[in-house]
Amino acid sequence: MSLLEFENVTLKFGGVIAVNDLSFNVEEGEVFALVGPNGAGKSTAFNLISRFYEPSAGRIQFDGHDLLAHKPSEVAALGVARTFQNNELFDHSTVLQNLLIGRHRHRQTNFLAEIFFSPNVRKQELQNRHMVEEIIDFLDLQPYRDKMIAGLPYGVRKVVELARALATGPKILMLDEPASGLSVEETADMRWWIDDIRRQMGITVLMVEHDMGLVSSVCDRVLALANGAKLAEGTPEQVQTNPAVVEAYLGGAA
Amino acid sequence: MRVHFKTSYEQDIRFFEDRWTLFLYASLVILAFALPYLIDDFYLGEMTNVLIWAVAGLGLMLLTGHTGQASLGHAAFLAMGCYAYHILVKYGVTFIIAFPLAGIITGGLGMIIAIPALRLRGIYLAIATMAMSILVDDIIVLTAPWSGGVSGMFSDPLNLYWIQIDRWGTPVAFYYVVLIVIVLVTIGYANILRSPTGRSFVAVRDSEVSAQAMGVDIARTKMLSFALSCGVTGLAGALMGMFSGVFNNETFSVVISVQLLMMIVIGGLGSIHGAFFGAIVIGFLPQFLSISKGWVGDMIGGSAVAIPGLEFGVFGMILIAFILFEPAGIYGRWIKIRTWLELFPFYRKGMFKRQKSFLKTERLQ
Ligand SMILES: Nc1ncnc2c1ncn2[C@@H]1O[C@H](COP(=O)(O)OP(=O)(O)OP(=O)(O)O)[C@@H](O)[C@H]1O
Ligand SMILES: [Mg+2]
């Protein structure tokens, strides 16, 4: 059984068919990419998994659970973490606080214990700090730990979003255009991190990315989309040389 | 300039950042407890009033400043707390039980009221909550047999085992009651902020979409915030009733709601300090105005003239000035001054400049 299964999923926004009878499987431990021209429905596929939208048809299974039976706030608890195409950080908090919110799904205490800051709350907070600190080390965020998000450069914010997603301790990590807007060096860092996340942490990665260089260097399999439907699926080379894909990109550009 | 070298994670979750901060706040609390020996009863009464407003401010700050839900109906919760407490006392419940119970009742009512308000945001939420203030006015009139309706209700001195405390007879004791309440509320508030609950509030305020993706249940979080906020506001209402001695359906009008909201905006949204700073402005503004009216009267050679609505007008002008020039409120200004002092002479001019944030064109709703 695959970790994530899309079965004939369709989503319409009024007249626009954003996702059209789409099926694909993501296997445990792989790095899987969704590619396609602008408006192909890649981010919409992510938002379906996050349960922000209700599909008009189809099934989505994650790790043996029927995702469609869950509320958006329950998806994280199943082990799904994500970043957003246009950073969605908690702007008026520090980097540290943002990462700590990532630990929310592991929370054991209730608000009454927290009002009194009971020993259990203290223990849990120390544990959270410990986990978060490891991620800060891993992603070299030490210089920004106590900085407000609102004052950080774009590239750093992207890393903070990745860090926050990792802090949830996910089974699958969904990255929506992790390298967009990053410099060449930052993109190279991102490549190493994605590699490490898969190899050292054993986390499955599902990503949307336009940078085909990055895609071919870190991804095992690629799914090309256009107008919400599948064009091709396979290794990065297979997909890049697929005539239908070439056509979609050139057709989109012309 | 102070530099923090962090040696353990304990340091970040500690109540006070370092010894120096601990020393500062400890001195402040000691000063607050010594205050009755330093100032006369009139000013002690004013201070008591400021502290009661600060309790109410803390209540609204939790909802508006930390969870991002504007409310123009908090006077209704002041009223609920006030009436709940005084009616309980009338039926013979002792202060020690009646007071927290008044907070719990108000919190519960606030949570129920939050349910229909969950779908509303921003200005729409503010307008809907404003209706609360008006509704409560009517309810007080309709329940006249218990609440006294238009003719009002008197606050009996509170019985604390061996002593009777009331604002006029024993102002010092009443001040201590209020002081203990605010210290406890502040500690609980700060504890919430350094725990998952507080972080979930801030998450909902800053981005509902990603709060959800982190596993925060938006509806439940907002309801909890309403409950805690209204509960604390209810406590403040009970104290206000005791302080004024007599109150009726018009005591907690919409004007009080507006004043409360203005107060936390001026003080600085999103910080505990803001509630205190705002309360000081609200509490001492009438004094300041009457003194300055005297000066103006002397200057122009006439006697001081009564200008109706002056207080509210000046308050509104201060609010506009803050929104234009210092949206972060008094607390925000204070942070800047403190940073300037700490970094002297290395302060850079653009340090607190608000950075233009990048496009958020595709924000999900
Ligand atoms: N909330 C929405 N309401 C209406 N239409 C939407 C909504 N979200 C997306 N769409 C439409 O669905 C289609 C797919 O959008 P989506 O954001 O998934 O594209 P994408 O593949 O992520 O593109 P890009 O590479 O530009 O990010 C587009 O035509 C878009 O206009
Ligand atoms: Mg997209």
Side-chain angles (χ1 to χ4, degrees):
Chain A
M1 197 183 60
S2 310
L3 185 62
L4 177 72
E5 299 175 3
F6 253 61
E7 272 176 50
N8 308 99
V9 177
T10 299
L11 175 68
K12 299 186 183 114
F13 290 115
V16 181
I17 304 178
V19 172
N20 191 358
D21 197 25
L22 181 67
S23 302
F24 65 88
N25 291 339
V26 179
E27 305 300 332
E28 199 159 346
E30 73 175 340
V31 178
F32 190 97
L34 295 178
V35 302
N38 293 115
K42 305 175 298 285
S43 300
T44 305
F46 274 23
N47 290 339
L48 280 166
I49 298 168
S50 293
R51 298 287 291 118
F52 295 155
Y53 302 137
E54 200 65 45
S56 44
R59 293 192 336 130
I60 307 174
Q61 292 265 109
F62 176 75
D63 199 22
H65 300 272
D66 175 15
L67 265 190
L68 301 185
H70 290 273
K71 291 197 291 181
S73 59
E74 292 166 357
V75 174
L78 298 176
V80 179
R82 68 170 293 174
T83 65
F84 294 85
Q85 185 168 351
N86 301 281
N87 296 12
E88 282 284 348
L89 286 165
F90 306 114
D91 285 352
H92 303 283
S93 305
T94 64
V95 169
L96 187 64
Q97 286 162 344
N98 268 268
L99 301 204
L100 285 171
I101 295 173
R103 301 299 301 162
H104 196 82
R105 80 177 184 94
H106 300 281
R107 169 186 185 192
Q108 302 283 336
T109 55
N110 64 19
F111 77 94
L112 271 177
E114 291 168 9
I115 288 179
F116 298 102
F117 214 75
S118 71
N120 278 338
V121 177
R122 175 175 299 273
K123 213 174 90 196
Q124 169 181 279
E125 282 307 293
L126 284 175
Q127 257 165 17
N128 285 342
R129 275 306 312 270
H130 192 78
M131 306 295 288
V132 161
E133 213 59 41
E134 278 177 4
I135 292 163
I136 288 178
D137 279 345
F138 172 59
L139 296 175
D140 292 331
L141 283 170
Q142 297 91 341
Y144 307 104
R145 186 191 278 113
D146 294 318
K147 295 255 163 38
M148 282 287 200
I149 300 297
L152 291 180
Y154 183 80
V156 178
R157 291 185 202 212
K158 288 225 98 133
V159 181
V160 176
E161 255 208 272
L162 172 62
R164 186 182 64 179
L166 279 178
T168 67
K171 290 198 180 98
I172 195 168
L173 183 61
M174 305 198 291
L175 305 174
D176 200 345
E177 308 203 4
S180 75
L182 296 190
S183 68
V184 177
E185 295 82 25
E186 289 168 332
T187 307
D189 282 342
M190 191 58 81
R191 167 178 314 157
W192 297 122
W193 284 327
I194 293 173
D195 242 19
D196 282 350
I197 287 166
R198 182 253 295 265
R199 283 185 220 291
Q200 291 176 10
M201 305 185 178
I203 297 170
T204 308
V205 178
L206 171 62
M207 62 189 251
V208 168
E209 185 51 63
H210 285 291
D211 179 342
M212 285 313 285
L214 180 63
V215 169
S216 7
S217 64
V218 297
C219 298
D220 303 304
R221 287 194 304 135
V222 178
L223 172 76
L225 286 177
N227 301 320
K230 186 194 290 192
L231 277 183
E233 192 178 347
T235 63
E237 295 75 43
Q238 287 168 348
V239 169
Q240 263 174 301
T241 50
N242 184 301
V245 176
V246 176
E247 166 69 17
Y249 270 95
L250 292 181
Chain B
M1 168 172 181
R2 276 181 300 144
V3 179
H4 292 285
F5 285 106
K6 294 201 175 150
T7 48
S8 78
Y9 301 146
E10 283 271 1
Q11 253 159 304
D12 281 298
I13 62 170
R14 231 180 248 162
F15 204 81
F16 297 105
E17 227 173 340
D18 53 26
R19 294 249 169 87
W20 173 243
T21 331
L22 171 66
F23 170 75
L24 277 184
Y25 285 99
S27 320
L28 196 64
V29 170
I30 290 168
L31 180 70
F33 274 92
L35 207 59
Y37 303 97
L38 303 174
I39 59 178
D40 65 21
D41 282 357
F42 173 74
Y43 280 103
L44 193 65
E46 293 302 308
M47 258 324 277
T48 311
N49 188 30
V50 166
L51 290 185
I52 295 174
W53 273 96
V55 177
L58 287 171
L60 184 58
M61 186 65 85
L62 189 66
L63 185 68
T64 304
H66 280 111
T67 320
Q69 313 298 308
S71 165
L72 273 175
H74 259 51
F77 300 109
L78 287 173
M80 285 179 207
C82 180
Y83 279 94
Y85 168 77
H86 284 94
I87 290 170
L88 283 170
V89 167
K90 208 159 83 174
Y91 284 98
V93 184
T94 150
F95 170 82
I96 289 291
I97 294 169
F99 186 68
L101 201 55
I104 292 170
I105 291 171
T106 315
L109 289 171
M111 193 168 78
I112 293 166
I113 286 158
I115 296 170
L118 285 177
R119 309 180 132 267
L120 304 171
R121 276 162 223 260
I123 190 80
Y124 301 102
L125 179 63
I127 292 167
T129 49
M130 197 159 139
M132 280 295 308
S133 284
I134 297 156
L135 194 66
V136 162
D137 186 333
D138 290 338
I139 291 173
I140 293 169
V141 175
L142 289 175
T143 56
W146 300 281
S147 69
V150 183
S151 45
M153 206 173 169
F154 288 94
S155 179
D156 293 327
L158 71 91
N159 272 312
L160 209 58
Y161 303 111
W162 68 98
I163 44 169
Q164 286 212 330
I165 299 175
D166 84 288
R167 146 152 160 72
W168 297 112
T170 54
V172 175
F174 186 66
Y175 169 78
Y176 281 129
V177 169
V178 174
L179 186 59
I180 289 168
V181 170
I182 200 162
V183 168
L184 293 179
V185 168
T186 308
I187 291 174
Y189 196 146
N191 280 341
I192 285 275
L193 287 188
R194 58 180 177 152
S195 315
T197 302
R199 289 198 291 268
S200 66
F201 289 168
V202 171
V204 166
R205 177 192 69 189
D206 283 0
S207 166
E208 288 194 13
V209 186
S210 56
Q212 265 182 328
M214 297 293 123
V216 175
D217 185 322
I218 306 287
R220 274 174 55 179
T221 306
K222 284 186 184 171
M223 274 168 69
L224 180 60
S225 179
F226 261 98
L228 292 174
S229 162
C230 296
V232 171
T233 309
L235 294 181
L239 292 175
M240 269 183 199
M242 293 180 223
F243 184 79
S244 67
V246 56
F247 45 88
N248 70 359
N249 60 321
E250 283 173 2
T251 308
F252 303 99
S253 63
V254 180
V255 175
I256 301 287
S257 290
V258 177
Q259 215 165 346
L260 202 55
L261 188 62
M262 282 173 152
M263 176 180 118
I264 61 167
V265 172
I266 290 175
L269 281 177
S271 73
I272 291 181
H273 297 80
F276 283 88
F277 285 130
I280 291 170
V281 174
I282 264 254
F284 286 114
L285 193 68
Q287 252 68 44
F288 174 74
L289 282 182
S290 65
I291 294 168
S292 55
K293 250 193 299 191
W295 286 339
V296 174
D298 287 345
M299 266 192 295
I300 58 174
S303 60
V305 273
I307 307 169
L310 176 71
E311 201 177 301
F312 217 59
V314 171
F315 207 66
M317 272 183 322
I318 297 177
L319 181 74
I320 292 170
F322 266 100
I323 290 174
L324 287 179
F325 302 114
E326 187 55 273
I330 297 175
Y331 183 61
R333 171 58 45 179
W334 159 241
I335 294 274
K336 283 173 208 175
I337 296 170
R338 197 182 64 188
T339 313
W340 187 85
L341 290 172
E342 281 180 357
L343 293 183
F344 188 81
F346 300 115
Y347 187 83
R348 283 184 294 119
K349 215 174 163 200
M351 210 159 218
F352 280 99
K353 217 174 188 165
R354 269 179 298 165
Q355 293 221 344
K356 218 171 161 188
S357 51
F358 45 89
L359 284 176
K360 272 204 170 157
T361 44
E362 271 193 338
R363 280 196 85 131
L364 287 153
Q365 274 307 321

